[in-house]
Amino acid sequence: MPPTTIPAKTWPAIAKVSDVPVGSTFVFTFGDSSSMAGQQGILYRASATKVDAVSAVCTHAGGPCVPVGGTLLQCQWHGSQFNVTNGSVERGPATYPLATARCEIRSDGYVYWVADV
């Protein structure tokens, strides 16, 4: 009997690659298949082939995080700062990192959410 291949699930695209230049961010909403469904996320394009994504919901009090330059995000409520590449806390009052998601650039020219991390 030949081996069985299970096809990878195809998630909805987050963005066109051309809409996210290298070194920039892109705000999106997580789809229903994510544990972060309906939440805002922030995508960062680190290079031609690498993208990172984190939740835009601050772990301190649930405030919205926004890009403030480079790889830095800041909570609009209390000023916590996070690294968009891995969600780590750069400055409190938050003490827990942002949730992260694995995304990838595919050959069709779109960025796809692949899995929560």
Side-chain angles (χ1 to χ4, degrees):
M1 178 188 257
T4 302
T5 301
I6 301 171
K9 182 158 176 72
T10 301
W11 305 103
I14 292 173
K16 284 179 157 179
V17 174
S18 59
D19 290 341
V20 191
V22 172
S24 71
T25 56
F26 184 87
V27 178
F28 68 97
T29 301
F30 282 98
D32 293 339
S33 300
S34 170
S35 65
M36 295 179 273
Q39 290 184 20
Q40 292 286 294
I42 300 174
L43 180 74
Y44 175 74
R45 186 167 176 200
S47 70
T49 59
K50 184 178 184 322
V51 288
D52 300 294
V54 296
S55 169
V57 178
C58 181
T59 57
H60 171 247
C65 294
V66 296
V68 292
T71 59
L72 199 61
L73 306 177
Q74 184 168 318
C75 176
Q76 292 182 310
W77 289 358
H78 301 112
S80 292
Q81 294 184 337
F82 302 90
N83 186 312
V84 72
T85 64
N86 60 17
S88 65
V89 177
E90 299 290 322
R91 183 180 84 194
T95 57
Y96 295 101
L98 296 175
T100 59
R102 190 163 59 91
C103 295
E104 62 185 33
I105 296 171
R106 295 198 179 154
S107 60
D108 65 359
Y110 286 87
V111 177
Y112 290 85
W113 170 81
V114 178
D116 297 344
V117 178

